[in-house]
Amino acid sequence: MIPETLSSKLFSAIGIGVALVSPGDLTLRLVNPTFSQWFKGVSIGDPLADVLDEGALQRLKDGLASDEPFTMDVAGKAGRRTIDIEVTVRQARHDDEAMVLLECQNISRLRQTEAMIDSYAAMVERKERELEREKVQAEKLLLNLMPRSVYEEYRAYGSVMPRLYEPVSVLMIDFVGFTDMAVAADPTVTVSELNDIYTAFDRIAELYGCERIKTLGDAYLAVAGLPHPNPDHVRAAAQCAVKMIRFLKRRNETHPHTWRARIGVATGPVVGSVVGVQKYVYDVFGPAVNQAARLQQCSEPMEITVPKEFASELIDDFSLDKVRTETLRGFGDVQVARLKERRTQPASRSFEMLS
């Protein structure tokens, strides 16, 4: 059964704040206890200016210019606690008299929930950005450990199948006197300079299509013709080695520490694979790697040593001299030569005539 009239007891029990306001002078004509409690204990006859601040009062006046209901948010009090109140304003009539009906709801919990959701969403977004940054950093780290094609295989399958690459050219670089320098000099300076040099070497290697495989202290290993075949791998490795020596010579002219390298370049088959489970690294193995290491060991400071079979592919573009026979462990007696800067004029003599 619906009562025809709203008793004062029932009106007082309503859980939302309700008020009737005269549209002319904006004074309160009727308020329930909830409304009075939320707004400074106001009562009938008080001006609405005692309820709303200047900004909210102006928004209400602007909204009354239209006959459509509208809502606005204001601040109220529940005891000593400030609460958020949503006020719905409607045009109404009472005994044929125009009135403004204010319906007020406490939305503090809703706002707190919204703030909590926004905070959680912001936290999730922040975590996603952090994970994306960590993913990018991990990818950069792995790309420093292995060629991109190998990384993509590892990412897709979780493992890398060992592959035979043939033929390729291998550069092995070692610095003269590095052990003494590392002990005598400031380690921060030594590592910083070594990092600068390796960074330059990486750029030179990339320029000529070589892939840096690894560094081990002062040893630097790069390969031409891996992971993508390169029919001109010998020339690419030779150009890379010459440019590295040229870089060191120019650097030594302007830096207090002198860095001198020995380089060995060899050609042949290698096997490439990821080694290790927890601390894994991409590495290459094979005769070409071993021979490049032996050639580097028998090189003089700032010298590039190559085997005799390089001659037919390099004689027209590089200077080859100091032909000699070296006994290389695991390879026996091998004829080798020193590779020097590019010629200014085309070569007209055979390799044997340079000996």
Side-chain angles (χ1 to χ4, degrees), residues 147-193:
R148 177 171 289 277
S149 61
V150 175
Y151 162 73
E152 290 174 352
E153 179 183 348
Y154 184 84
R155 184 178 62 177
Y157 303 106
S159 62
V160 176
M161 181 70 67
R163 283 181 171 80
L164 175 65
Y165 298 95
E166 184 180 12
V168 299
S169 291
V170 179
L171 293 83
M172 182 70 74
I173 306 169
D174 182 71
F175 289 101
V176 179
F178 177 81
T179 302
D180 294 336
M181 181 190 300
V183 174
D186 183 347
T188 303
V189 174
T190 302
V191 172
S192 176
E193 292 195 14

Side-chain angles (χ1 to χ4, degrees), residues 70-85:
F70 63 94
T71 61
M72 50 189 289
D73 291 349
V74 299
K77 287 283 188 178
R80 297 182 179 180
R81 182 168 55 90
T82 300
I83 60 175
D84 297 314
I85 297 175

Side-chain angles (χ1 to χ4, degrees), residues 5-205:
T5 60
L6 192 62
S7 69
S8 60
K9 184 176 181 180
L10 184 58
F11 183 68
S12 300
I14 296 176
I16 65 172
V18 179
L20 285 176
V21 180
S22 296
D25 57 4
L26 295 180
T27 57
L28 295 169
R29 298 288 298 277
L30 179 67
V31 297
N32 73 338
T34 302
F35 186 94
S36 179
Q37 176 187 356
W38 286 350
F39 296 104
K40 307 176 184 177
V42 294
S43 59
I44 297 173
D46 289 340
L48 196 59
D50 291 349
V51 176
L52 305 177
D53 60 34
E54 184 176 348
L57 188 62
Q58 186 60 48
R59 291 197 300 275
L60 184 138
K61 291 178 180 179
D62 294 340
L64 289 176
S66 170
D67 292 335
E68 296 297 324
F70 63 94
T71 61
M72 50 189 289
D73 291 349
V74 299
K77 287 283 188 178
R80 297 182 179 180
R81 182 168 55 90
T82 300
I83 60 175
D84 297 314
I85 297 175
E86 182 182 75
V87 181
T88 301
V89 183
R90 307 175 188 274
Q91 305 278 5
R93 299 192 69 82
H94 177 65
D95 293 335
D96 293 329
E97 181 180 357
M99 290 286 176
V100 177
L101 174 63
L102 306 182
E103 302 172 13
C104 306
Q105 297 191 59
N106 183 353
I107 59 171
S108 296
R109 288 189 177 181
L110 176 62
R111 291 289 183 263
Q112 291 172 0
T113 302
E114 290 175 346
M116 187 180 303
I117 292 173
D118 290 343
S119 176
Y120 179 76
M123 181 185 68
V124 171
E125 184 178 353
R126 186 172 61 252
K127 290 294 184 183
E128 288 178 348
R129 289 197 301 268
E130 292 175 357
L131 288 173
E132 185 62 27
R133 283 196 298 268
E134 291 177 1
K135 178 183 176 181
V136 171
Q137 291 174 352
E139 181 175 297
K140 288 181 178 179
L141 177 61
L142 288 172
L143 288 174
N144 281 330
L145 297 176
M146 61 188 71
R148 177 171 289 277
S149 61
V150 175
Y151 162 73
E152 290 174 352
E153 179 183 348
Y154 184 84
R155 184 178 62 177
Y157 303 106
S159 62
V160 176
M161 181 70 67
R163 283 181 171 80
L164 175 65
Y165 298 95
E166 184 180 12
V168 299
S169 291
V170 179
L171 293 83
M172 182 70 74
I173 306 169
D174 182 71
F175 289 101
V176 179
F178 177 81
T179 302
D180 294 336
M181 181 190 300
V183 174
D186 183 347
T188 303
V189 174
T190 302
V191 172
S192 176
E193 292 195 14
L194 188 62
N195 181 65
D196 290 342
I197 293 171
Y198 281 168
T199 300
F201 282 6
D202 287 345
R203 292 172 180 170
I204 294 171

